[in-house]
Amino acid sequence: MVLTAHADADAHALAADATRTLIAWAADADADAIPDAVLRRAALVLADNLAAMVAAEGEPEVRAAQIKLAERTTAR
């Protein structure tokens, strides 16, 4: 169990670093240098993901995850 927890921590740290790198790149990116087709596709993917999140909000699994997250947040 300790090895799994350590591996999870390493994976979370790597994911956090990769996310920070991506955000830094996106913040500094010049939209004019990105082809219009790529921008349109990115907007479509973002809109689709947002719509999926909104649609799934009422699903029992999502609600259960929200409750667990709230419990963890208030327990601290």
Side-chain angles (χ1 to χ4, degrees):
M1 185 67 172
V2 173
L3 292 175
T4 302
H6 182 67
D8 287 346
D10 289 347
H12 288 158
L14 287 171
D17 288 343
T19 301
R20 279 190 284 277
T21 300
L22 177 61
I23 290 170
W25 172 84
D28 290 337
D30 180 9
D32 293 334
I34 301 172
D36 286 342
V38 173
L39 291 174
R40 283 193 301 275
R41 180 67 178 174
L44 178 65
V45 169
L46 179 60
D48 184 55
N49 284 326
L50 289 172
M53 285 187 277
V54 170
E57 196 273 332
E59 294 294 321
E61 297 86 356
V62 174
R63 187 65 190 134
Q66 290 171 338
I67 291 168
K68 284 184 180 183
L69 180 60
E71 288 170 354
R72 287 181 63 187
T73 303
T74 57
R76 292 181 183 188

